[in-house]
Amino acid sequence: MTVIKLVYEIDKQDFVKAGQASSEIKKVLKQLGVASEITRKVAIATYEAEMNIVIHSFGGYIEVIIGETGIKIMAKDRGPGIKDIELAMQEGYTTASDKVRELGFGAGMGLPNIKRCADEFQIKSILNKHTELDVFIRL
Ligand SMILES: Nc1ncnc2c1ncn2[C@@H]1O[C@H](COP(=O)(O)OP(=O)(O)OP(=O)(O)O)[C@@H](O)[C@H]1O
Ligand SMILES: [Mg+2]
């Protein structure tokens, strides 16, 4: 069985590079001939996870493992963490600054969108330490 693993480092507050990792991931999946519906879900989930690392964390990385049964996405950062995960999962909830909202982010839709794309979804967070998102999308 061939397994492909992709890892991308994500820098905090870097709005120039932001979105590059997820578009690279999308390109690789297309090249591998992964179904467009699956590629679309992975692209949305990785984009939202990438932007959350850029906006809300001190920096981190995204790892994508393309396996036989599905695609596993892990997004891990160092940062403030999430105090109330249930609240953070609600549509429209955001702590984004005015500056970030002026850039067009901060609708509070990223995490709910990731969940919608996922067959398995888990957030683990330790306050003032890190946040880890684990997503599985079946092939
Ligand atoms: N990696 C993270 N580290 C710390 N807090 C986070 C992280 N990801 C999300 N959050 C918290 O959860 C909230 C909701 O996240 P979500 O992605 O749904 O919305 P948003 O990032 O605020 O806006 P949008 O994604 O629509 O641009 C964020 O405002 C932030 O408070
Ligand atoms: Mg977000």
Side-chain angles (χ1 to χ4, degrees), residues 48 52-53 56-57 77 80-82 88 93-96 105-112 131:
E48 293 296 350
N52 280 353
I53 294 175
H56 305 293
S57 89
D77 66 60
I82 302 176
Y93 176 82
T94 185
T95 58
F105 305 102
M109 291 304 291
L111 290 175
T131 298

Side-chain angles (χ1 to χ4, degrees), residues 53-118:
I53 294 175
V54 172
I55 293 168
H56 305 293
S57 89
F58 304 153
Y61 64 93
I62 294 181
E63 192 180 287
V64 175
I65 296 172
I66 305 156
E68 208 158 75
T69 59
I71 296 166
K72 188 176 179 296
I73 299 162
M74 205 254 277
K76 192 165 182 179
D77 66 60
R78 288 175 302 102
I82 302 176
K83 205 192 305 186
D84 186 339
I85 289 174
E86 205 183 315
L87 185 62
M89 286 305 302
Q90 284 177 21
E91 293 190 4
Y93 176 82
T94 185
T95 58
S97 65
D98 289 345
K99 187 198 132 215
V100 164
R101 293 179 70 97
E102 272 167 31
L103 293 171
F105 305 102
M109 291 304 291
L111 290 175
N113 272 339
I114 297 171
K115 191 169 186 192
R116 256 194 293 277
C117 291

